[in-house]
Amino acid sequence: MARQLDYHTIRAIFDRFHAAEPEPKGELEHVNAFTLVVAVALSAQATDAGVNKATRRLFEIADTPEKMLALGEEGVTEHIRTIGLYRNKAKNVIKLSRILVEEYGGEVPNSRAALQSLPGVGRKTANVVLNMWWRYPAQAVDTHIFRVGNRTGIAPGRDVVAVERAIEDHVPVDYMQHAHHWLILHGRYTCVARKPKCAACLITDLCTFEDKTT
């Protein structure tokens, strides 16, 4: 596990991220809080591009829990067949839609615990929704952020919760809102798993990764 970078180095890293992309955005398409929850739940073990392709038509038809229930499990299944684990995900979409209607009046709750009580919604999904929809500086740690946090020394940790806490503890507050977007995009396109693109990396001189590529 990499050593934890100091405050000044982390601030310099996020200064560069901000200069390159002041307003980073999540790549999952959605039209409201409900479709965001569904999209993020569907994205487990799937690419954002694949989820977007499957949900464009689905969200035109069913952009509320009530409409999703009316569509039914088989209807949802038909739209998301191209996504991994689609049958189980379709069941969860219907289950969470029913809970939202019966327990929350059709509205998506904005507490982490309430979100995590929904089928198919874990801590990462809840944090994405809190961050992207309610602008709460929650840190959704996926495999990309876990890798970048540990490689760079920005947020080393032995599990996703430890990395999440390291981000919260060490990233300057003024960069916290967008921190997970900068980190996930960096991991998705530059600090990739097998052969990181160190020569093209804007923070390579600040990073602790020992096996830099040339």
Side-chain angles (χ1 to χ4, degrees):
M1 189 165 65
R3 64 177 175 81
Q4 174 68 59
L5 291 175
D6 61 47
Y7 169 82
H8 297 290
T9 304
I10 292 175
R11 172 163 279 286
I13 286 172
F14 282 92
D15 284 344
R16 294 183 190 181
F17 284 154
H18 178 265
E21 182 60 69
E23 292 287 331
K25 305 292 184 185
E27 297 181 325
L28 285 173
E29 296 173 5
H30 59 283
V31 297
N32 54 29
F34 171 68
T35 54
L36 178 59
V37 171
V38 172
V40 181
L42 292 177
S43 71
Q45 299 182 40
T47 65
D48 286 1
V51 172
N52 290 339
K53 185 176 180 180
T55 57
R56 283 183 191 122
R57 179 60 179 156
L58 174 63
F59 292 160
E60 287 178 3
I61 298 169
D63 61 355
T64 68
E66 294 84 357
K67 291 177 184 177
M68 198 69 76
L69 287 174
L71 185 59
E73 186 177 322
E74 285 306 311
V76 174
T77 300
E78 287 303 311
H79 282 88
I80 66 170
R81 281 185 180 276
T82 55
I83 301 176
L85 307 174
Y86 67 91
R87 289 194 183 279
N88 189 56
K89 289 178 179 179
K91 290 179 181 178
N92 283 337
V93 168
I94 292 300
K95 287 179 182 176
L96 73 83
S97 297
R98 183 169 292 111
I99 291 172
L100 289 176
V101 170
E102 294 178 353
E103 298 184 20
Y104 297 98
E107 299 294 323
V108 176
N110 63 353
S111 83
R112 185 183 287 117
L115 286 166
Q116 285 187 245
S117 72
L118 300 173
V121 177
R123 186 179 183 89
K124 184 194 79 171
T125 299
N127 281 346
V128 170
V129 175
L130 291 173
N131 183 288
M132 290 181 65
W133 192 256
W134 281 288
R135 308 288 293 177
Y136 177 77
Q139 304 303 318
V141 178
D142 67 353
T143 55
H144 296 299
I145 295 177
F146 184 80
R147 179 175 66 255
V148 172
N150 277 288
R151 268 187 186 168
T152 62
I154 293 170
R158 298 191 183 279
D159 55 44
V160 294
V161 174
V163 170
E164 179 184 328
R165 288 174 177 164
I167 294 171
E168 293 173 345
D169 288 346
H170 296 284
V171 173
V173 169
D174 49 318
Y175 287 138
M176 195 69 72
Q177 177 65 49
H178 293 314
H180 97 272
H181 280 129
W182 279 314
L183 293 172
I184 194 172
L185 293 171
H186 191 64
R188 185 173 289 166
Y189 298 111
T190 303
C191 195
V192 295
R194 294 188 179 180
K195 191 176 181 181
K197 302 172 184 177
C198 299
C201 176
L202 76 167
I203 63 166
T204 190
D205 58 314
L206 303 175
C207 167
T208 63
F209 188 46
E210 295 180 355
D211 300 321
K212 289 187 174 72
T213 59
T214 56

